[in-house]
Amino acid sequence: MSTTAPSETTARYSEAWRTVRWPGEAKVAVQVILAFESFERQSQFATAPSPNAVNGFSQSYGEYGAHAGAWRLLRLFAEEDISVSVPTNGLAAARHPHVVRAIADAGHELVGHGWANDVFLPGGDDERRMIAETLDAIERAGGQRPVGWTSPGKMGSPDSDELLLDAGILYTGDDASDDLPFVKEVGERSMVVVPSVDLNANDLLQWILPGHGPAVLADSFKRTFDAVYHEAVEGRPNTLGLVLHAHGAGRPTMVPTVRELIRYAKGHADVWFARGDEIARWTVEQGYRR
């Protein structure tokens, strides 16, 4: 049996565990992410599989965000006075430029998110063209060229990092290997990783696909927030993501829960609501590696 006192054990592990400092000595950086997506064949919700045909109902489900969901959530964010990151498909920007312009005009960050959300990155020259077309469409619509990128399904190709750097991308969210951001080497260049820390609180994973009620998402977010906040109080500042989809969380069923979770985090001292580009630039400034 170990005779090491709990306080000594905590100190030993805390010294070995990588940590960061946030602006203003914040304890937790909360990144709210709102995916604005379009689909060529079917969205994440479908009444029946349709791998070789267009699923009209599923596509229309995915279009809800442009016509209602995004507006409801933009109003909520304005009322709660927070800025968020918005991964945006190039197809969504081309179809609904007025929505993308409203997102940018409200002070939110536009993030590259592939051309269509059901088309994955192919690698090589085809991917180079897809990245360029996506960023061009978002910039035309919103007047803001993304510096961040999250691939559809968070699944890039072996070529993605090099191609994204060529396109001027600063950071990627296609990495779930850590809680904290870091700079990684890509050949002789560097890419910032703002990790995907959203598996604990994601409307797609906790609500849409399993068909749970909103309380499941709320419970998951609060439990995770409490855990990372406790770690921060002990001396290890941390991060937390809340991932929403305009065509999912923008529905009346989920909006009260989104507001509840934002206010839950706000009810704690020293919480930094940060966009992905803010986290990435802070990471570069501080030189955080691992």
Side-chain angles (χ1 to χ4, degrees), residues 118-253:
D118 53 345
V119 177
F120 297 107
L121 302 187
D125 289 339
D126 288 342
E127 182 172 338
R128 187 184 299 277
R129 284 190 292 272
M130 181 185 290
I131 291 170
E133 290 170 358
T134 298
L135 299 179
D136 288 347
I138 294 171
E139 185 176 23
R140 280 194 301 271
Q144 177 190 128
R145 194 168 187 85
V147 298
W149 182 275
T150 300
S151 302
K154 298 187 183 295
M155 292 186 288
S157 78
D159 302 324
S160 293
D161 285 347
E162 291 279 1
L163 295 175
L164 290 170
L165 286 170
D166 290 347
I169 292 297
L170 169 67
Y171 79 91
T172 176
D174 292 351
D175 190 311
S177 66
D178 210 330
D179 298 317
L180 301 175
F182 59 94
V183 177
K184 70 173 181 179
E185 305 306 317
V186 180
E188 297 182 355
R189 297 183 289 177
S190 298
M191 169 79 79
V192 182
V193 173
V194 178
S196 300
V197 290
D198 61 347
L199 299 182
N200 55 280
N202 182 316
D203 64 344
L204 176 64
L205 301 181
Q206 269 81 28
W207 180 51
I208 299 172
L209 295 181
H212 292 151
V216 172
L217 177 67
D219 183 66
S220 181
F221 179 89
K222 289 178 180 179
R223 286 174 181 269
T224 307
F225 182 92
D226 290 347
V228 298
Y229 196 84
H230 177 74
E231 291 176 356
V233 170
E234 289 188 329
R236 185 178 185 268
N238 213 320
T239 59
L240 180 63
L242 174 60
V243 174
L244 313 170
H245 294 73
H247 59 285
R251 296 171 190 266
T253 308

